[in-house]
Amino acid sequence: MTKQCFGTSHVPLSPAVRAGDFVFVSGQVPVGADGIVVKGGITEQTEQVLTNVKAALALAGCGMEDVVKTTVWIEDARDFGVFNAVYAKHFPKDPPARTTVESRLMIDIKIEVEAVAYKPL
């Protein structure tokens, strides 16, 4: 099995890595193209994070429909309902398996999401 890395980051990670038929997307945070955390609450930050997941998937030739598993860290469990509503819009049919936990995050953000996609070559 070969490994391909896609994209670059200012920290030592690859935004997406293909290993065989699987694509692993590193944890995406709510930063825009300018590298600045988006303003707003869990709604705005979830939208940006999922936009970033989609962009990382695209680097490896995948889309949101190829995602089979996500792991989500939210800073405040009270935001779960709002997060869940935004998330559902991005996975309207056959959503992936998911783990969601409340956690203190590495920077001052409300959410981080990583994903695993399956797309045979």
Side-chain angles (χ1 to χ4, degrees):
M1 172 172 38
T2 61
K3 177 178 101 171
Q4 291 178 278
C5 297
F6 299 91
T8 60
S9 177
H10 69 283
V11 294
L13 62 79
S14 295
V17 175
R18 177 180 278 280
D21 293 337
F22 287 93
V23 173
F24 300 87
V25 173
S26 293
Q28 298 296 302
V29 296
V31 293
D34 58 4
I36 297 172
V37 174
V38 297
K39 294 183 182 191
I42 191 68
T43 300
E44 295 81 7
Q45 289 198 5
T46 300
E47 286 287 355
Q48 184 64 56
V49 164
L50 293 174
T51 295
N52 295 348
V53 167
K54 184 177 181 182
L57 287 164
L59 293 172
C62 294
M64 297 294 265
E65 68 280 1
D66 300 312
V67 175
V68 295
K69 171 74 167 83
T70 61
T71 304
V72 179
W73 295 268
I74 57 175
E75 187 244 355
D76 187 339
R78 293 172 292 189
D79 287 335
F80 180 76
V82 175
F83 149 75
N84 210 41
V86 174
Y87 183 94
K89 291 189 313 183
H90 290 266
F91 296 104
K93 183 179 180 212
D94 300 325
R98 182 179 81 193
T99 301
T100 306
V101 296
E102 179 183 47
S103 178
R104 193 176 88 179
L105 300 167
M106 299 305 292
I107 59 176
D108 188 19
I109 56 175
K110 298 189 175 301
I111 184 168
E112 181 171 344
V113 177
E114 71 176 21
V116 178
Y118 176 76
K119 185 166 188 180
L121 292 171

